[in-house]
Amino acid sequence: MKLRCWIEGVAALGVFSWVWFRNAWITDDAYITFRTIEQFLAGNGLQFNPHERVQAFTHPAWLGLLLPLRVAGLPLPAAAFLLSWLAVSAALVLLWRTVSDRPARGWLCVAAVVGSRVLLDFSSSGLETPLSFLLIVVFMHFVLSWERSSGIGGSRSLIPVFLVASALLSTRHDHAPLLAPVLAILAIRRWTSGRVRCGAEILLGLAPLVMWSLFSCVYYG
């Protein structure tokens, strides 16, 4: 049974990869991020133009993943393609593992992704959509895991949930309306089992977002 599930998973990933590469492209907006990275590596700072300290990009987490690949010598369009494929594939693998006891649901997930023109187009556009997709899946996985293992008054930490939320908000700030209700409910439940611990876990989880926000406010004025 496990072998069959593994074979079906590889087949599903192969179908997605074939459709994905057939439709891969780079949008003009991605070159805003590409130019910012090139300016940074040229010693002109993390900005679009050398003489203007302006944050032209909207996805610091995505830029942070592209930067080391460019430093390693990979052209930025190729780096964006690689990261995009890895992110969406990882999201599909995680979804598949979540429903591994019912492969039909896994195939339904793959069909939904392959059949969504919007998701398929922007999962290879050079923008942050693939990272958002992966982080949303990971966020859902952590939330459901916390609910199953902890519940009200449980001892499992909320730090992983808020860390992923922090990464999502660092990918795009407008993910906030999607995350806020869930985070609020989890925080209220944790609050009942220990206020100090709840506050500490939330602060640690949101620390990357807070640090980037402080840096951007100082650096970009």
Side-chain angles (χ1 to χ4, degrees), residues 26 45 66 93 116:
I26 294 288
L66 288 172
V93 169
S116 172

Side-chain angles (χ1 to χ4, degrees), residues 132 135-136 139-140 168-169 173-183:
S132 294
L135 290 174
I136 288 171
F139 179 77
M140 292 169 54
L168 262 168
L169 293 173
H173 279 65
D174 52 13
H175 288 311
L178 179 68
L179 303 176
V182 179
L183 295 177

Side-chain angles (χ1 to χ4, degrees), residues 120-131:
L120 196 62
D121 279 351
F122 285 94
S123 68
S124 64
S125 63
L127 296 175
E128 74 289 337
T129 305
L131 181 59

Side-chain angles (χ1 to χ4, degrees), residues 29 84 90 101 208:
D29 289 348
S84 297
D101 56 330

Side-chain angles (χ1 to χ4, degrees), residues 148-199:
R148 286 194 298 265
S149 63
S150 297
I152 300 177
S155 59
R156 187 162 182 170
S157 174
L158 277 178
I159 293 176
V161 176
F162 277 85
L163 275 176
V164 177
S166 183
L168 262 168
L169 293 173
S170 298
T171 302
R172 279 194 73 89
H173 279 65
D174 52 13
H175 288 311
L178 179 68
L179 303 176
V182 179
L183 295 177
I185 291 172
L186 294 182
I188 292 171
R189 291 184 176 181
R190 170 60 83 192
W191 189 265
T192 60
S193 63
R195 298 180 180 181
V196 175
R197 181 176 178 181
C198 174

